[in-house]
Amino acid sequence: MIHKLKLEELNRIDVETFKKTKKIPLVVILDNVRSMHNVGATFRTADAFLVEKIILCGITPQPPHREIHKAALGATESVEWTYFPETKTAIETLRKEDFEIVGIEQTTGSIKITNYDIDPSKKYAVILGNEVDGISDEILQDINDFIEIPQLGTKHSLNVSVCGGIVMWEFAKGLS
């Protein structure tokens, strides 16, 4: 008989084990994301897919905060994170560490995520932009590649945390 698994049947690791577990070579940069819900949901998804780190930039709210915690459900304790006042500085730092910088944005040069070749021998940093304005204009030239998620309906964009979840899943599949 089919039943929902109880928490103890899921065999999840604890925070200390998570911190010692090998992560996928993926960093998620939140560029001036204003919603605490989006920040918390990004942490929770990053935990699910063993993302290396989250970098919060600009006006992006930082833990600890009750509203972030409501969506993160404790993932701010497991997922490594840091803050940079300027996204450009975060990109420069990651570039020195040999990360490929990938913007999640609809541009004249963007590639559909389904056509983007993820190279498991490389390290990636994906940038998710502001809920209204997207990725900051001043960093567009600092980005190696742009990818977008194909959409078939009337809306031109997805919620930041939903978009982040799709992107993290695709990179987790490609880098695992």
Side-chain angles (χ1 to χ4, degrees):
M1 172 175 238
I2 293 177
H3 71 279
K4 294 181 191 176
L5 295 176
K6 295 177 175 54
L7 286 178
E8 57 273 7
E9 293 176 295
L10 294 174
N11 296 317
R12 297 293 188 246
I13 58 177
D14 61 26
V15 172
E16 289 311 310
T17 304
F18 180 92
K19 289 182 178 184
K20 295 174 187 170
T21 301
K22 186 177 188 310
K23 310 297 186 294
I24 63 170
L26 178 67
V27 172
V28 175
I29 300 172
L30 297 183
D31 173 37
N32 292 298
V33 171
R34 64 176 189 219
S35 163
M36 289 192 223
H37 168 80
N38 283 331
V39 173
T42 300
F43 269 94
R44 189 167 168 187
T45 305
D47 176 282
F49 298 130
L50 290 173
V51 168
E52 186 176 315
K53 176 171 42 176
I54 294 175
I55 299 178
L56 310 173
C57 298
I59 66 165
T60 306
Q62 303 166 53
H65 194 283
R66 186 174 57 89
E67 292 301 312
I68 294 172
H69 181 74
K70 278 173 38 178
L73 293 179
T76 56
E77 304 302 317
S78 57
V79 177
E80 182 183 338
W81 67 274
T82 190
Y83 172 78
F84 283 85
E86 301 292 328
T87 307
K88 189 173 194 67
T89 308
I91 291 171
E92 290 167 356
T93 301
L94 291 169
R95 194 175 304 289
K96 289 176 188 168
E97 297 172 16
D98 296 321
F99 278 84
E100 295 291 318
I101 311 300
V102 180
I104 313 306
E105 187 67 79
Q106 297 165 349
T107 71
T108 54
S110 59
I111 302 164
K112 290 187 183 345
I113 196 168
T114 52
N115 296 332
Y116 188 73
D117 290 322
I118 298 169
D119 182 345
S121 70
K122 292 183 177 181
K123 302 186 297 186
Y124 292 91
V126 295
I127 304 174
L128 299 168
N130 176 275
E131 292 87 344
V132 175
D133 299 321
I135 292 175
S136 302
D137 289 340
E138 60 268 15
I139 63 168
L140 291 178
Q141 302 311 312
D142 299 318
I143 297 172
N144 298 101
D145 294 316
F146 291 93
I147 58 178
E148 64 178 271
I149 298 167
Q151 296 170 62
L152 306 174
T154 63
K155 298 300 171 195
H156 68 279
S157 66
L158 295 167
N159 175 278
V160 171
S161 63
V162 171
C163 177
I166 293 168
V167 170
M168 283 185 257
W169 170 243
E170 287 297 320
F171 275 84
K173 289 189 312 184
L175 295 171
S176 297

